[in-house]
Amino acid sequence: FAGVYNEALLKGPGVDARKVSTNLQNAFMYSQSVIVNAFFLLWQGQLGEAFCAKNLYAILSVRVVAIICIMSTVGLITGFFLKHLDSVLKSIAAAVEVVFTMLLSSVFFGTPLQVMGIIAACIVGAGVALYSVPPQRREAAESELKSVL
């Protein structure tokens, strides 16, 4: 839902996207995530447990703080994509990110590349290639159709 809010906020009728800052956009995305996660914790009866000292101590470990910083950076980049790209280009960027994540995790962490992952990367690559081809002009397509008929 946060992506829909941001699209409406940035690209709705009568909206000048340059006046909406990336910080405001990210505030909407993050607040949506906090509200949804708090709702599910409350629904499961674990909202109080999430804030106990034991869990807060685990959150403040070096690895978790590093992951939070990395994912916050990803969020900022996503906000930039939402502001400056359309939905199709944003989807292509997300697809390319998945491929690079798979490849780089293999290089840096020794995660084995599996056949299904390689097939998925090929499908994503084919999709990116398909969307990167400029569309034919209508006149050219009509003349090509007439020549065939």
Side-chain angles (χ1 to χ4, degrees), residues 53-91:
K54 175 184 165 189
N55 289 335
L56 290 177
Y57 179 74
I59 290 172
L60 296 177
S61 70
V62 175
R63 285 186 175 193
V64 173
V65 171
I67 290 171
I68 290 171
C69 291
I70 290 169
M71 296 311 290
S72 297
T73 304
V74 170
L76 290 172
I77 293 169
T78 301
F80 175 79
F81 282 165
L82 283 174
K83 185 171 184 176
H84 297 288
L85 302 177
D86 61 4
S87 295
V88 173
L89 289 175
K90 181 180 63 92
S91 298

Side-chain angles (χ1 to χ4, degrees), residues 67-147:
I67 290 171
I68 290 171
C69 291
I70 290 169
M71 296 311 290
S72 297
T73 304
V74 170
L76 290 172
I77 293 169
T78 301
F80 175 79
F81 282 165
L82 283 174
K83 185 171 184 176
H84 297 288
L85 302 177
D86 61 4
S87 295
V88 173
L89 289 175
K90 181 180 63 92
S91 298
I92 290 172
V96 171
E97 176 190 0
V98 168
V99 173
F100 278 119
T101 300
M102 179 187 72
L103 294 174
L104 292 175
S105 68
S106 175
V107 171
F108 290 120
F109 304 117
T111 306
L113 291 176
Q114 298 177 349
V115 175
M116 292 303 289
I118 294 170
I119 291 172
C122 291
I123 291 172
V124 168
V128 169
L130 178 68
Y131 276 115
S132 66
V133 174
Q136 290 183 344
R137 298 202 181 273
R138 182 178 179 154
E139 299 85 25
E142 286 177 358
S143 66
E144 185 179 326
L145 182 63
K146 287 179 184 176
S147 68

